Amino acid sequence: MPKDAPLNRGATPETPVGPHRRVSEMQAKLHRWAAADAGRRFDDLFNFVHDPATLTVAFDRVAGNIGARTAGVDGLTVADVEQQVGVPGFLDDLRTRLKQGSFRPLPVRERKIPKPGGSGKVRSLGIPTVADRVVQAALKLVLEPIFEADFEPVSYGFRPKRRAQDAIAEIHYFGTRGYRWVLDADIEACFDRIDHTALMDRVRLRVRDKRVLTLVKAFLKAGILTELGDSKETFTGTPQGGILSPLLANIALAVLDEHVHGPWKPGGTMATEGKRQYRRRKGLPTWRLVRYADDFVVLVHGTQDDTQAMREDVAGVLAPMGLRLSEAKTQVVHMVDGFDFLGFRIQWRRKRGTNKWHVYTFIADRPIRSLKAKIRALTRRTSQQDLGYVLTRLNLAMHGWANYFRHAVAKNTFAMLDSLAWWRIVRMMRQRHHWRWKDVRR
């Protein structure tokens, strides 16, 4: 087992180490130990959680988040904490409660937001208090480097230095190499249905510290204050909106990664290209999983029946975690027909004017509809918002959208959306200032 290293290696009393560097070194140490010993269970992690440096970095991350302006059930935002209590006093009190064992998470405040795409459906978010968010962020800083050592390379969502475009590139890579049958899967209400007992069993594989385990479980059981003001217990799931929730979801869904990706590991039946070719000569399938949070596809080099069998296999793996595949949204498709994933439309098709076939990545219909709706909402005729604010919001939305889809085959999509935004802005200005078209053209 690796020897313990001083937390602030190389520091001296004359050269104090800042909280961000201190936390970074702590994370590097935990990750190194976890990677060196796959069976190690970590004890005495609680001291890292309530360390002043950890809480300071955790608060900085909470304050830098868009949700900093949103209050939990106590009605306090980050700005309120900064103005009324002061950050040092707030963190000192929080640290004292953690050390004394008197800290108890409050219920999350339910907030329902419309799902993208204009479907009319809503998604429930759970908004914790600022104090709970800081403690969750501190837990994430400590636990993430440990579990990152175990996560498989097929998982891309909510992980450091990984993004949706990497998952799309992986699909493109294997699609061009014969993996053309696709299990396009959807987990039904994943974040709401994760079994707490099964999840905590997964956490215990790496964490022995009972104080940390108790804290994680307390957040799972904190409950929900609904929009109608009713209190609701949480027997399953981890609320969307919590800082710790994506990490806990990845820990739960790692059981799927380990099962489906297992044959690709050294010594597995698909570990080398030679072994994969041998399976194909025998009429046996090979497969590859690509997962982004609770969205995933299984690419199969085989037949439709092989892919259907994979669907049953995946359902069996998810069941002990309290999860199941949506019957309506999970489908077996061929890349010729195409499928949507993370806002992209992926399809195997012939290049125009040739007999060559390629995997193409387009922009799916839903994100285009969603951006159009956002443009229209910002530029309504009756809108009384400041024009500078509208232009800033439009600019952020358009640039963010274009940056996300910059590698997709967009045809004239970007020009069309830009034109839509421009002419609606012109219409707004004419409405407000009674301009004539010849004035606009000038």
Side-chain angles (χ1 to χ4, degrees), residues 47-61:
N47 290 330
F48 287 131
V49 174
H50 66 67
D51 186 281
T54 308
L55 292 177
T56 298
V57 174
F59 185 87
D60 288 346
R61 294 197 175 184

Side-chain angles (χ1 to χ4, degrees), residues 18-31:
H20 287 81
R21 179 180 167 188
R22 181 180 174 90
V23 169
S24 179
E25 291 183 354
M26 175 267 290
Q27 290 182 306
K29 178 172 64 175
L30 291 174
H31 182 78

